[in-house]
Amino acid sequence: MSSSEALTDGLRVVVEAVYSPEHSQPSANHWFFLYTIRISNEGDETCQLVSRHWIIRDATGRVEEVRGAGVVGEQPVLEPGDAFEYTSGCPLATPYGSMEGTYRMITEDGGHFDARIARFELRQPGAIH
């Protein structure tokens, strides 16, 4: 398992990632990883997650950027003290790589900021980097 943590403007993003052998087919160059993210509003202002931006790297150096609305079909509103947790997945064509990115957050007063998702490793156990 690998993990990361970042705090941006009172919004804490904690990630835990694991290899998913039941969703992987290494013989077909397909490795799948699950990651669970907990987003906690430790600030004093309500905010809403409206979009995501991921930067995904594999072992060959290939970079893929993914942008989209919300997460897992939701655009959660987080009041001070609230947290939102979800699990998603990422396929790779190599046994290791990494992910990092940002969540675009809108505040009650119409402002916005990008909450950082610190880089975390995606790695099949025993894979040599």
Side-chain angles (χ1 to χ4, degrees), residues 15-72:
V15 184
E16 291 187 350
V18 296
Y19 173 64
S20 178
E22 59 273 9
H23 295 102
S24 299
Q25 286 186 290
S27 62
N29 292 326
H30 179 81
W31 288 266
F32 198 82
F33 302 86
L34 295 171
Y35 55 89
T36 299
I37 299 186
R38 183 174 177 83
I39 305 162
S40 305
N41 185 351
E42 298 177 3
D44 54 10
E45 191 172 15
T46 298
C47 57
Q48 180 177 19
L49 190 162
V50 293
S51 64
R52 67 191 184 282
H53 174 216
W54 284 111
I55 300 167
I56 305 164
R57 293 178 177 86
D58 72 14
T60 67
R62 182 172 161 266
V63 177
E64 179 183 1
E65 292 197 47
V66 176
R67 296 175 190 270
V71 290
V72 293

Side-chain angles (χ1 to χ4, degrees), residues 1-3 17 33 96-99 119-123 129:
M1 178 168 47
S2 102
S3 62
F33 302 86
Y96 57 88
S98 67
M99 290 178 69
R119 185 174 178 160
F120 57 96
E121 301 298 313
L122 303 172
R123 180 182 307 276
H129 187 280

Side-chain angles (χ1 to χ4, degrees), residues 55-129:
I55 300 167
I56 305 164
R57 293 178 177 86
D58 72 14
T60 67
R62 182 172 161 266
V63 177
E64 179 183 1
E65 292 197 47
V66 176
R67 296 175 190 270
V71 290
V72 293
E74 297 188 49
Q75 292 182 318
V77 173
L78 298 168
E79 294 181 12
D82 281 355
F84 180 81
E85 185 172 297
Y86 72 96
T87 299
S88 191
C90 178
L92 285 182
T94 60
Y96 57 88
S98 67
M99 290 178 69
E100 64 189 294
T102 55
Y103 294 128
R104 172 56 56 110
M105 308 300 297
I106 302 282
T107 58
E108 280 184 305
D109 62 9
H112 60 81
F113 65 95
D114 290 331
R116 191 166 80 90
I117 308 161
R119 185 174 178 160
F120 57 96
E121 301 298 313
L122 303 172
R123 180 182 307 276
Q124 176 188 8
I128 297 176
H129 187 280

